[in-house]
């Protein structure tokens, strides 16, 4: 039998290998941009035509190549980045396989001009389907200028598989972003069919994100920074209120290499869990700087997975970093109150312990149609007293000169004859439809959803209680008995210490029974059993969630069950309580379901509306 195994000619082998590395124009763009960054370029320009199908050009001012290297770089496994297997664990460059240029040269017409800064004369090389057409000295700028023409010219099948220009351009832009966003110290530009798509000067990470994703990102971002002995996480996350319905801008990098990592993604999501709706996604741009020894980088060029030696550790640091960033920034109020800046400061500085639970006592006998009652209500709480309460609450935060400013202001008002809102009337609250609390703030009219706001307040209040050791409860006048199924009784036993922190004092009687001796301070005795049952139900419902956190869940149950309902009439004092307590919360603007607790109707809009001629 004759031998029938033959070695493939290099050109064919290269073409087959190229199919793995270069699948579409965007893959070539990625490889060229990464080479430019690896070459230490400070300026990189990407020029494409017809979604990269006819031309992809990358011009950089990096280290350039000698005549010899210019020829070598198109050989398979030719790389300057590693020389032994050990080097694989010390890689900080993007490339290291020495496959990209060989692959590109196998399936396209390539022209490269390159010159190291120290050489006077550069090299111009043309290569097509792995064959060198010409190589000669030439005049050129220092750095490398590489043009790829007619990608897949000799692999028509693959060319036919390319998608529409719009789709291929989208892929290219995505690759461009993945390289450019994390290299803000390098200026990047992208031109498509002679139109500038991006022009990104060098700067910081924030301005790079803004440059790529739009100026509205300026106010959307929160910085993240966390250092440990093993790694440093740095970057930005989107504020919870800007979370999106689609997986938008989610970028992880490890040593500035873009990666996808569902496990770490989960860590970030977890940190956001309480602040965004279930079906929306936070944005993030986070780089993990880590010793290459701690990761397995030997991934396929087109893939983006990476393995950490200790993924659990990275997960924990990531989650803590993001949580910290959210916590730190949601403490600073972003709303400009129509009050003294000193008070604003006090709001921001309120110690955590200052979180007090508002007591909502509504009058069940109230009849809104009874005229004299509603009038009585107004005189019942004189405005003067209102101010006193407010002052008492912030007394130790108010600076001395407060009074002078107050008189100055009223004098000014008097001077101009303007009806300036006087201090005592500034924090006046009105209720709309027994649902919303309104108050005027510097920039307009603030509208607070009473139910959502109270839920947020109670949630934080109970969450803190669960974390604290202390507990408080009110003795039941008539202790209640409750019988439960064996499963539910088991849950109550398991939650007993947490329930005690919430205020539930329970003692077992018989096999699956309990006697309720004490209940949370703000619970009506009549509701004690129902609320306990709901807590058990809610606990069961969420037990299987991977994100399950017992305290979060219990605090949520309490908040949902006890928050003042929509449609409940509130007294002005109660509204003030909600207002005060809300702004002492960590995340005053975020409702428990991730939506907003409040809105501000800007003064401008009101003015604009009133200026319009009636039709
Ligand atoms: P890798 O990046 O994996 O080393 P490539 O095929 O992408 O493999 O490139 C091969 C080599 O060519 C690189 O190791 C580098 O030395 C050189 N090279 C490629 N592009 C550039 C460039 N823009 N500037 C300077 N040198 C380059
Ligand atoms: Mg490379």
């Amino acid at each position: 039998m004759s031998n029938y195994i033959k070695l493939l000619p290099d050109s064919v082998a290269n073409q087959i290998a190229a199919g793995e590395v270069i699948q579409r124009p965007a893959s070539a763009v990625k490889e060229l941009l990464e080479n430019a960054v690896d070459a230490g370029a400070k300026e990189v320009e990407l020029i494409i035509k017809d979604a990269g199908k006819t031309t992809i050009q990358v011009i950089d001012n990096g280290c350039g190549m000698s005549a010899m290297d210019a020829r070598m770089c198109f050989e398979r496994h030719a790389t300057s980045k590693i020389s032994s297997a050990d080097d694989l664990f010390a890689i900080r460059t993007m490339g290291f396989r020495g496959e990209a240029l060989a692959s590109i040269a196998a399936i396209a017409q390539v022209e490269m001009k390159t010159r190291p800064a120290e050489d006077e004369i550069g090299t111009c090389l043309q290569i097509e389907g792995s064959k060198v057409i010409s190589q000669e000295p030439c005049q050129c700028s220092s750095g490398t200028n590489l043009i790829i023409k007619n990608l897949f010219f000799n692999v028509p099948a693959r060319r036919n598989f390319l998608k529409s220009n719009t789709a291929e351009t989208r892929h290219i832009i995505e690759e461009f972003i993945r390289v450019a966003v994390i290299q803000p110290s390098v200026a990047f530009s992208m031109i498509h069919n002679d139109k500038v798509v991006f022009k990104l000067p060098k700067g910081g990470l924030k301005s790079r994100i803004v440059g790529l994703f739009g100026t509205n990102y300026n106010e959307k971002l929160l910085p993240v920074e966390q250092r440990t002995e093993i790694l440093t996480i740095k970057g930005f996350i989107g504020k919870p209120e800007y979370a999106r319905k689609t997986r938008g801008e989610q970028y992880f990098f490890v040593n500035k290499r873009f990666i996808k990592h569902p496990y770490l993604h989960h860590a970030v999501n977890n940190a956001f869990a309480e602040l965004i709706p279930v079906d929306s996604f936070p944005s993030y741009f986070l780089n993990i700087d880590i010793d290459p020894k701690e990761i397995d980088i030997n991934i396929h060029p087109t893939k983006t997975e990476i393995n950490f030696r200790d993924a659990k550790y990275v997960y924990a640091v990531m989650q803590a970093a993001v949580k910290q960033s959210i916590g730190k920034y949601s403490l600073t109020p972003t709303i400009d109150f129509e009050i003294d800046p000193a008070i604003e400061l006090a709001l921001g500085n309120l110690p955590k312990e200052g979180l007090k639970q508002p007591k909502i006592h509504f009058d069940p006998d109230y009849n809104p149609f009874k005229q004299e009652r509603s009038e009585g209500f107004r005189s019942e709480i004189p405005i003067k007293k209102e101010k006193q309460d407010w002052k008492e609450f912030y007394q130790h935060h108010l600076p001395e000169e407060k009074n002078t400013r107050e008189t100055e202001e009223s004098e000014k008002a008097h001077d101009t004859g303007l009806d300036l809102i006087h201090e005592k009337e500034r924090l006046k609250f009105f209720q709309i439809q027994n649902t919303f609390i309104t108050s005027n703030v510097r920039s307009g009219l603030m509208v607070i959803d009473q139910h959502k706001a109270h839920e947020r307040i109670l949630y934080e209040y109970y969450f803190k209680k669960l974390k604290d050791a202390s507990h408080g409860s009110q003795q039941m006048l008539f202790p209640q008995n409750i019988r439960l199924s064996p499963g539910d009784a088991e849950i109550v036993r398991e939650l007993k210490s947490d329930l005690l922190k919430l205020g539930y004092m329970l003692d077992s009687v018989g096999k699956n029974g309990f006697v309720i001796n004490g209940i949370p301070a703000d619970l009506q005795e009549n509701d004690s059993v129902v609320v306990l049952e709901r807590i058990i139900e809610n606990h069961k419902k969420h037990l299987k969630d991977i994100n399950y956190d017992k305290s979060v869940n219990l605090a949520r149950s309490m908040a949902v069950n006890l928050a003042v309902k929509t449609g409940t009439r509130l007294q002005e004092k109660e509204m003030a309580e909600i207002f005060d307590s809300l702004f002492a919360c960590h995340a005053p603007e975020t409702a428990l379901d991730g939506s907003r607790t409040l809105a501000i109707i800007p003064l401008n809009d009101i003015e604009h509306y009133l200026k319009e001629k009636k039709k």
Side-chain angles (χ1 to χ4, degrees), residues 149-167:
K149 284 193 182 136
N150 304 319
L151 196 67
F152 303 124
F153 80 105
N154 52 356
V155 204
R158 193 160 276 267
R159 205 176 162 86
N160 293 339
F161 265 103
L162 291 181
K163 300 251 164 51
S164 70
N165 278 8
T166 331

PDB file of all heavy atoms in Angstrom, residues 149-167:
ATOM      1  N   LYS A 149      -5.736  44.735   2.956  1.00  0.00           N
ATOM      2  CA  LYS A 149      -6.741  44.950   1.903  1.00  0.00           C
ATOM      3  C   LYS A 149      -7.391  43.633   1.541  1.00  0.00           C
ATOM      4  O   LYS A 149      -6.747  42.596   1.554  1.00  0.00           O
ATOM      5  CB  LYS A 149      -6.058  45.548   0.676  1.00  0.00           C
ATOM      6  CG  LYS A 149      -5.743  47.007   0.871  1.00  0.00           C
ATOM      7  CD  LYS A 149      -5.376  47.664  -0.441  1.00  0.00           C
ATOM      8  CE  LYS A 149      -5.027  49.108  -0.185  1.00  0.00           C
ATOM      9  NZ  LYS A 149      -3.833  49.516  -0.917  1.00  0.00           N
ATOM     10  N   ASN A 150      -8.648  43.729   1.199  1.00  0.00           N
ATOM     11  CA  ASN A 150      -9.402  42.568   0.703  1.00  0.00           C
ATOM     12  C   ASN A 150      -9.240  41.328   1.567  1.00  0.00           C
ATOM     13  O   ASN A 150      -8.761  40.289   1.100  1.00  0.00           O
ATOM     14  CB  ASN A 150      -8.986  42.254  -0.748  1.00  0.00           C
ATOM     15  CG  ASN A 150      -9.180  43.465  -1.621  1.00  0.00           C
ATOM     16  OD1 ASN A 150     -10.188  44.184  -1.482  1.00  0.00           O
ATOM     17  ND2 ASN A 150      -8.223  43.742  -2.488  1.00  0.00           N
ATOM     18  N   LEU A 151      -9.649  41.456   2.760  1.00  0.00           N
ATOM     19  CA  LEU A 151      -9.607  40.331   3.693  1.00  0.00           C
ATOM     20  C   LEU A 151     -10.384  39.154   3.092  1.00  0.00           C
ATOM     21  O   LEU A 151     -11.449  39.351   2.510  1.00  0.00           O
ATOM     22  CB  LEU A 151     -10.250  40.778   5.015  1.00  0.00           C
ATOM     23  CG  LEU A 151      -9.998  39.924   6.241  1.00  0.00           C
ATOM     24  CD1 LEU A 151      -8.531  39.987   6.643  1.00  0.00           C
ATOM     25  CD2 LEU A 151     -10.844  40.433   7.407  1.00  0.00           C
ATOM     26  N   PHE A 152      -9.864  37.958   3.225  1.00  0.00           N
ATOM     27  CA  PHE A 152     -10.470  36.721   2.694  1.00  0.00           C
ATOM     28  C   PHE A 152     -10.530  36.714   1.164  1.00  0.00           C
ATOM     29  O   PHE A 152     -11.381  36.051   0.588  1.00  0.00           O
ATOM     30  CB  PHE A 152     -11.891  36.510   3.258  1.00  0.00           C
ATOM     31  CG  PHE A 152     -11.953  36.473   4.767  1.00  0.00           C
ATOM     32  CD1 PHE A 152     -12.784  37.343   5.470  1.00  0.00           C
ATOM     33  CD2 PHE A 152     -11.185  35.575   5.493  1.00  0.00           C
ATOM     34  CE1 PHE A 152     -12.845  37.316   6.862  1.00  0.00           C
ATOM     35  CE2 PHE A 152     -11.248  35.543   6.885  1.00  0.00           C
ATOM     36  CZ  PHE A 152     -12.071  36.416   7.574  1.00  0.00           C
ATOM     37  N   PHE A 153      -9.609  37.460   0.504  1.00  0.00           N
ATOM     38  CA  PHE A 153      -9.669  37.510  -0.969  1.00  0.00           C
ATOM     39  C   PHE A 153      -9.504  36.109  -1.562  1.00  0.00           C
ATOM     40  O   PHE A 153     -10.021  35.793  -2.612  1.00  0.00           O
ATOM     41  CB  PHE A 153      -8.606  38.476  -1.521  1.00  0.00           C
ATOM     42  CG  PHE A 153      -7.215  37.911  -1.591  1.00  0.00           C
ATOM     43  CD1 PHE A 153      -6.654  37.535  -2.818  1.00  0.00           C
ATOM     44  CD2 PHE A 153      -6.462  37.735  -0.439  1.00  0.00           C
ATOM     45  CE1 PHE A 153      -5.369  37.000  -2.867  1.00  0.00           C
ATOM     46  CE2 PHE A 153      -5.193  37.212  -0.492  1.00  0.00           C
ATOM     47  CZ  PHE A 153      -4.641  36.827  -1.705  1.00  0.00           C
ATOM     48  N   ASN A 154      -8.730  35.248  -0.850  1.00  0.00           N
ATOM     49  CA  ASN A 154      -8.485  33.891  -1.358  1.00  0.00           C
ATOM     50  C   ASN A 154      -9.302  32.816  -0.615  1.00  0.00           C
ATOM     51  O   ASN A 154      -9.038  31.636  -0.756  1.00  0.00           O
ATOM     52  CB  ASN A 154      -6.987  33.564  -1.277  1.00  0.00           C
ATOM     53  CG  ASN A 154      -6.430  33.822   0.126  1.00  0.00           C
ATOM     54  OD1 ASN A 154      -7.148  34.304   0.995  1.00  0.00           O
ATOM     55  ND2 ASN A 154      -5.170  33.496   0.328  1.00  0.00           N
ATOM     56  N   VAL A 155     -10.230  33.257   0.204  1.00  0.00           N
ATOM     57  CA  VAL A 155     -11.124  32.294   0.880  1.00  0.00           C
ATOM     58  C   VAL A 155     -12.561  32.757   0.652  1.00  0.00           C
ATOM     59  O   VAL A 155     -13.233  33.233   1.568  1.00  0.00           O
ATOM     60  CB  VAL A 155     -10.857  32.223   2.411  1.00  0.00           C
ATOM     61  CG1 VAL A 155     -11.319  30.885   2.984  1.00  0.00           C
ATOM     62  CG2 VAL A 155      -9.420  32.506   2.772  1.00  0.00           C
ATOM     63  N   PRO A 156     -13.048  32.654  -0.579  1.00  0.00           N
ATOM     64  CA  PRO A 156     -14.357  33.245  -0.902  1.00  0.00           C
ATOM     65  C   PRO A 156     -15.474  32.734   0.015  1.00  0.00           C
ATOM     66  O   PRO A 156     -16.375  33.492   0.357  1.00  0.00           O
ATOM     67  CB  PRO A 156     -14.609  32.833  -2.352  1.00  0.00           C
ATOM     68  CG  PRO A 156     -13.459  31.990  -2.765  1.00  0.00           C
ATOM     69  CD  PRO A 156     -12.418  31.983  -1.713  1.00  0.00           C
ATOM     70  N   ALA A 157     -15.362  31.472   0.422  1.00  0.00           N
ATOM     71  CA  ALA A 157     -16.435  30.922   1.263  1.00  0.00           C
ATOM     72  C   ALA A 157     -16.588  31.767   2.523  1.00  0.00           C
ATOM     73  O   ALA A 157     -17.698  32.119   2.934  1.00  0.00           O
ATOM     74  CB  ALA A 157     -16.126  29.488   1.640  1.00  0.00           C
ATOM     75  N   ARG A 158     -15.449  32.118   3.100  1.00  0.00           N
ATOM     76  CA  ARG A 158     -15.501  32.895   4.342  1.00  0.00           C
ATOM     77  C   ARG A 158     -15.991  34.325   4.070  1.00  0.00           C
ATOM     78  O   ARG A 158     -16.762  34.887   4.846  1.00  0.00           O
ATOM     79  CB  ARG A 158     -14.116  32.940   4.974  1.00  0.00           C
ATOM     80  CG  ARG A 158     -14.150  33.432   6.389  1.00  0.00           C
ATOM     81  CD  ARG A 158     -12.924  33.018   7.122  1.00  0.00           C
ATOM     82  NE  ARG A 158     -13.042  31.664   7.655  1.00  0.00           N
ATOM     83  CZ  ARG A 158     -13.465  31.401   8.888  1.00  0.00           C
ATOM     84  NH1 ARG A 158     -13.826  32.379   9.679  1.00  0.00           N
ATOM     85  NH2 ARG A 158     -13.538  30.174   9.314  1.00  0.00           N
ATOM     86  N   ARG A 159     -15.547  34.866   2.970  1.00  0.00           N
ATOM     87  CA  ARG A 159     -15.985  36.212   2.622  1.00  0.00           C
ATOM     88  C   ARG A 159     -17.509  36.253   2.494  1.00  0.00           C
ATOM     89  O   ARG A 159     -18.157  37.198   2.950  1.00  0.00           O
ATOM     90  CB  ARG A 159     -15.307  36.627   1.303  1.00  0.00           C
ATOM     91  CG  ARG A 159     -15.183  38.122   1.168  1.00  0.00           C
ATOM     92  CD  ARG A 159     -14.452  38.566  -0.064  1.00  0.00           C
ATOM     93  NE  ARG A 159     -14.782  39.969  -0.291  1.00  0.00           N
ATOM     94  CZ  ARG A 159     -14.130  40.965   0.277  1.00  0.00           C
ATOM     95  NH1 ARG A 159     -13.120  40.740   1.082  1.00  0.00           N
ATOM     96  NH2 ARG A 159     -14.515  42.199   0.067  1.00  0.00           N
ATOM     97  N   ASN A 160     -18.042  35.189   1.908  1.00  0.00           N
ATOM     98  CA  ASN A 160     -19.498  35.151   1.723  1.00  0.00           C
ATOM     99  C   ASN A 160     -20.254  35.044   3.037  1.00  0.00           C
ATOM    100  O   ASN A 160     -21.438  35.342   3.102  1.00  0.00           O
ATOM    101  CB  ASN A 160     -19.892  33.979   0.822  1.00  0.00           C
ATOM    102  CG  ASN A 160     -19.390  34.202  -0.591  1.00  0.00           C
ATOM    103  OD1 ASN A 160     -19.119  35.350  -0.979  1.00  0.00           O
ATOM    104  ND2 ASN A 160     -19.228  33.128  -1.345  1.00  0.00           N
ATOM    105  N   PHE A 161     -19.556  34.586   4.038  1.00  0.00           N
ATOM    106  CA  PHE A 161     -20.220  34.426   5.330  1.00  0.00           C
ATOM    107  C   PHE A 161     -20.302  35.712   6.134  1.00  0.00           C
ATOM    108  O   PHE A 161     -20.964  35.769   7.163  1.00  0.00           O
ATOM    109  CB  PHE A 161     -19.515  33.354   6.172  1.00  0.00           C
ATOM    110  CG  PHE A 161     -20.155  32.022   6.037  1.00  0.00           C
ATOM    111  CD1 PHE A 161     -19.589  31.036   5.249  1.00  0.00           C
ATOM    112  CD2 PHE A 161     -21.354  31.765   6.685  1.00  0.00           C
ATOM    113  CE1 PHE A 161     -20.202  29.801   5.109  1.00  0.00           C
ATOM    114  CE2 PHE A 161     -21.967  30.531   6.553  1.00  0.00           C
ATOM    115  CZ  PHE A 161     -21.396  29.538   5.758  1.00  0.00           C
ATOM    116  N   LEU A 162     -19.611  36.730   5.666  1.00  0.00           N
ATOM    117  CA  LEU A 162     -19.630  37.987   6.430  1.00  0.00           C
ATOM    118  C   LEU A 162     -21.036  38.560   6.443  1.00  0.00           C
ATOM    119  O   LEU A 162     -21.801  38.401   5.502  1.00  0.00           O
ATOM    120  CB  LEU A 162     -18.648  38.986   5.827  1.00  0.00           C
ATOM    121  CG  LEU A 162     -17.177  38.618   5.983  1.00  0.00           C
ATOM    122  CD1 LEU A 162     -16.296  39.692   5.370  1.00  0.00           C
ATOM    123  CD2 LEU A 162     -16.810  38.412   7.449  1.00  0.00           C
ATOM    124  N   LYS A 163     -21.328  39.241   7.526  1.00  0.00           N
ATOM    125  CA  LYS A 163     -22.666  39.821   7.679  1.00  0.00           C
ATOM    126  C   LYS A 163     -22.724  41.183   6.983  1.00  0.00           C
ATOM    127  O   LYS A 163     -21.764  41.622   6.363  1.00  0.00           O
ATOM    128  CB  LYS A 163     -22.959  39.997   9.170  1.00  0.00           C
ATOM    129  CG  LYS A 163     -22.920  38.699   9.947  1.00  0.00           C
ATOM    130  CD  LYS A 163     -24.336  38.305  10.353  1.00  0.00           C
ATOM    131  CE  LYS A 163     -24.473  36.858  10.782  1.00  0.00           C
ATOM    132  NZ  LYS A 163     -23.544  36.398  11.776  1.00  0.00           N
ATOM    133  N   SER A 164     -23.841  41.845   7.123  1.00  0.00           N
ATOM    134  CA  SER A 164     -24.025  43.161   6.517  1.00  0.00           C
ATOM    135  C   SER A 164     -22.962  44.125   7.038  1.00  0.00           C
ATOM    136  O   SER A 164     -22.370  43.899   8.092  1.00  0.00           O
ATOM    137  CB  SER A 164     -25.394  43.698   6.894  1.00  0.00           C
ATOM    138  OG  SER A 164     -25.389  44.006   8.274  1.00  0.00           O
ATOM    139  N   ASN A 165     -22.747  45.207   6.295  1.00  0.00           N
ATOM    140  CA  ASN A 165     -21.756  46.196   6.744  1.00  0.00           C
ATOM    141  C   ASN A 165     -22.092  46.736   8.130  1.00  0.00           C
ATOM    142  O   ASN A 165     -21.205  46.953   8.942  1.00  0.00           O
ATOM    143  CB  ASN A 165     -21.679  47.349   5.744  1.00  0.00           C
ATOM    144  CG  ASN A 165     -20.789  46.972   4.573  1.00  0.00           C
ATOM    145  OD1 ASN A 165     -20.373  45.807   4.466  1.00  0.00           O
ATOM    146  ND2 ASN A 165     -20.492  47.939   3.717  1.00  0.00           N
ATOM    147  N   THR A 166     -23.371  46.955   8.377  1.00  0.00           N
ATOM    148  CA  THR A 166     -23.749  47.484   9.699  1.00  0.00           C
ATOM    149  C   THR A 166     -23.331  46.520  10.791  1.00  0.00           C
ATOM    150  O   THR A 166     -22.768  46.917  11.807  1.00  0.00           O
ATOM    151  CB  THR A 166     -25.292  47.651   9.779  1.00  0.00           C
ATOM    152  OG1 THR A 166     -25.775  47.906   8.478  1.00  0.00           O
ATOM    153  CG2 THR A 166     -25.696  48.707  10.746  1.00  0.00           C
ATOM    154  N   ALA A 167     -23.609  45.240  10.577  1.00  0.00           N
ATOM    155  CA  ALA A 167     -23.278  44.256  11.608  1.00  0.00           C
ATOM    156  C   ALA A 167     -21.769  44.158  11.791  1.00  0.00           C
ATOM    157  O   ALA A 167     -21.273  44.148  12.923  1.00  0.00           O
ATOM    158  CB  ALA A 167     -23.861  42.906  11.240  1.00  0.00           C
TER     159      ALA A 167
END
